[in-house]
Amino acid sequence: FLAPLLQTVEQGIGHRPALVVMTADHGEALGDHGELTHGLFAYESTLRVPLLLWGSGFSTARDQREAWHIDIVPTVLEHLGIPAPAGLRGHSLLAPLPVVPGASAPSGGSGYFESISTHLNRGWAPLRGYLHGGRKWIDLPLPELYDLAADPAERNNLWPAVRRGAAAVRSGFATEVPWPPPARTAAVSSEAARRLKSLGYVVGSAPVRPAFTIDDDPKTLLPIDRKLHESIDAYSRGQYPRAVALAREVIAARPEIAEGYTNAALALRQMERNAEAIAVLESGLGKVVARETHLRQLAMALAEAGQSPRAVELLAPLRATAEPATLNVLGIALSDSGRHDQGLAVLREARSHDSGDPNALENMGVVLLRMGRTAEARAALEQALQLNDSLPIAWNTLGVARFQLEGPAAAMAAWQRSVALDPRQF
């Protein structure tokens, strides 16, 4: 598949001499150690990824040394003959490295890794570790240590035999890395959150905890993770009753996990059981760790059920967090309550925090249309669709604006596009 591209690069057609670097951000567990996808653990099935360097001056060879993504930049700089800046981490893979005593192959030195998505989203124990000389240490409430040369599948945990050396093992971590990691502070737009959710990620923010027990270890919580994945899968297949049942099992087992309530509520709303969706979300108040995410879901359910004033009451205190996704819901809820000017101001605030967020523009178009400012609404909606042309509500609303300004023919194309994306817009 890459041959046509690489041939043009190799022949210098329209290009300067090039160096091609191919790698990946992570692998997929596909059931290894019970993990269905990735992000829960950091075993070799997800940690080991390909690294290919191709270009003039390279001969065909395979390097068995440990390598890390931080080694890519020093390697490229050396290949180009550019001195590496002082303090740059990583090592050039073009330079030979000494063999570590006891290792089966030359080592690229210690490499640090972590997996903290479930810590930030669910409040579970954060995972970190490092690999050196063929040995891999994983720091969790239930610690793990593997000899990868003798045990590449990571089935024989050596930690119980060497637990007295815990202090020496932990000294391998860099002291400048804060641990547990702080909660996420960067705002995530509603569009980014939508795309992350479509890939199976959940965006939330759990409060920082000083300590964790074996009950918080992701190995202990593997059945909960599986149920969450199965619930999302059932929802994506339109199996809404099953999605609700699985989500309720998660709520019963771990009531602090916001995903359980969210998954149940989304499926219930698809079945037009809004009252039940609201009740499920309300049952999680005061329990969930991802509080803002949970309140936002509850506000959306309330607004959809015609209870916009209460949605405003829930979200108004969160306006100061400047979370674009929250501001989007608050802005529409204000407009739904008849407070169009205030809603428009909040939506403009959301857009000021993320100018590339099409959802703020989409919502602005809806509110401007309600205010009778049709030309401005059309402009906002067209700008939203320039950023993402797969927004059915934006196309639907644009059709209304075009009908008022240009007539039926201009409107019909927008409405047809809306229905093609989502038949429920018919």
Side-chain angles (χ1 to χ4, degrees):
F1 295 106
L2 292 176
L5 172 65
L6 297 181
Q7 285 172 0
T8 60
V9 174
E10 186 176 32
Q11 295 166 7
I13 302 174
H15 303 277
R16 296 180 180 179
L19 170 64
V20 177
V21 180
M22 186 191 78
T23 187
D25 54 348
H26 56 74
E28 291 290 340
L30 302 177
D32 181 47
H33 286 81
E35 184 177 14
L36 296 175
T37 55
H38 66 270
L40 185 65
F41 299 132
Y43 295 114
E44 293 298 279
S45 53
T46 55
L47 204 62
R48 286 180 65 88
V49 294
L51 175 58
L52 174 71
L53 288 84
W54 183 90
S56 60
F58 287 100
S59 58
T60 302
R62 176 176 292 183
D63 194 329
Q64 298 288 356
R65 289 176 296 176
E66 298 162 10
W68 304 83
H69 280 146
I70 59 172
D71 297 328
I72 294 175
V73 171
T75 303
V76 172
L77 291 176
E78 179 168 341
H79 180 70
L80 298 176
I82 300 174
L88 180 67
R89 295 192 175 188
H91 303 85
S92 170
L93 300 174
L94 303 180
L97 292 173
V99 175
V100 174
S104 59
S107 173
S110 295
Y112 172 82
F113 57 87
E114 62 184 30
S115 182
I116 59 174
S117 63
T118 56
H119 167 68
L120 297 178
N121 294 328
R122 302 172 183 169
W124 296 1
L127 182 158
R128 64 175 175 172
Y130 69 88
L131 193 152
H132 182 72
R135 284 203 159 196
K136 181 177 180 181
W137 152 251
I138 300 174
D139 185 20
L140 280 172
L142 294 170
E144 299 168 71
L145 179 65
Y146 299 102
D147 182 345
L148 295 182
D151 180 24
E154 298 167 284
R155 302 298 179 190
N156 181 24
N157 183 8
L158 302 175
W159 173 250
V162 298
R163 66 176 64 207
R164 293 183 179 179
V169 172
R170 286 194 170 90
S171 68
F173 292 113
T175 56
E176 69 269 21
V177 177
W179 204 259
R184 172 183 56 80
T185 56
V188 176
S189 71
S190 55
E191 172 69 3
R194 183 191 67 80
R195 294 185 177 185
L196 286 168
K197 190 168 183 62
S198 72
L199 295 171
Y201 296 97
V202 177
V203 181
S205 183
V208 175
R209 294 170 54 191
F212 299 88
T213 69
I214 60 174
D215 289 336
D216 305 308
D217 193 297
K219 294 187 292 296
T220 303
L221 295 164
L222 186 60
I224 300 297
D225 181 75
R226 181 175 288 273
K227 275 188 171 58
L228 286 168
H229 280 290
E230 291 175 350
S231 176
I232 293 171
D233 180 68
Y235 178 89
S236 67
R237 297 174 186 273
Q239 300 170 2
Y240 302 127
R242 174 171 165 75
V244 172
L246 288 165
R248 288 188 186 278
E249 290 179 19
V250 171
I251 294 170
R254 300 288 293 203
E256 76 279 9
I257 299 177
E259 289 171 74
Y261 304 93
T262 298
N263 292 353
L266 287 174
L268 287 166
R269 286 165 62 190
Q270 287 293 335
M271 293 187 287
E272 298 186 2
R273 292 158 59 179
N274 289 337
E276 288 182 66
I278 292 170
V280 166
L281 291 165
E282 286 179 329
S283 71
L285 293 175
K287 301 174 185 176
V288 301
V289 291
R291 178 175 175 271
E292 181 166 350
T293 304
H294 188 78
L295 287 175
R296 189 165 60 241
Q297 291 293 330
L298 176 55
M300 285 192 288
L302 288 167
E304 189 173 296
Q307 301 181 43
S308 296
R310 188 170 171 222
V312 171
E313 182 182 345
L314 280 175
L315 294 185
L318 298 176
R319 184 172 178 178
T321 66
E323 178 75 56
T326 299
L327 294 176
N328 268 292
V329 178
L330 175 59
I332 283 293
L334 283 164
S335 177
D336 289 343
S337 302
R339 298 155 66 179
H340 303 309
D341 288 329
Q342 295 177 46
L344 186 60
V346 170
L347 293 170
R348 283 175 170 159
E349 184 181 336
R351 187 162 183 263
S352 72
H353 293 296
D354 184 2
S355 60
D357 181 9
N359 293 96
L361 288 163
E362 177 186 59
N363 291 331
M364 287 169 60
V366 171
V367 175
L368 287 164
L369 192 62
R370 290 172 175 173
M371 299 171 74
R373 295 159 63 173
T374 311
E376 293 176 73
R378 179 180 61 182
L381 293 162
E382 288 177 343
Q383 192 173 352
L385 292 167
Q386 287 176 357
L387 294 170
N388 181 356
D389 67 353
S390 299
L391 300 172
I393 293 176
W395 281 111
N396 194 345
T397 313
L398 178 60
V400 177
R402 285 181 175 175
F403 182 85
Q404 295 181 14
L405 294 170
E406 306 169 53
M412 192 60 68
W415 285 332
Q416 288 172 339
R417 174 66 173 152
S418 176
V419 172
L421 290 168
D422 180 6
R424 292 173 299 177
Q425 300 297 318
F426 185 81

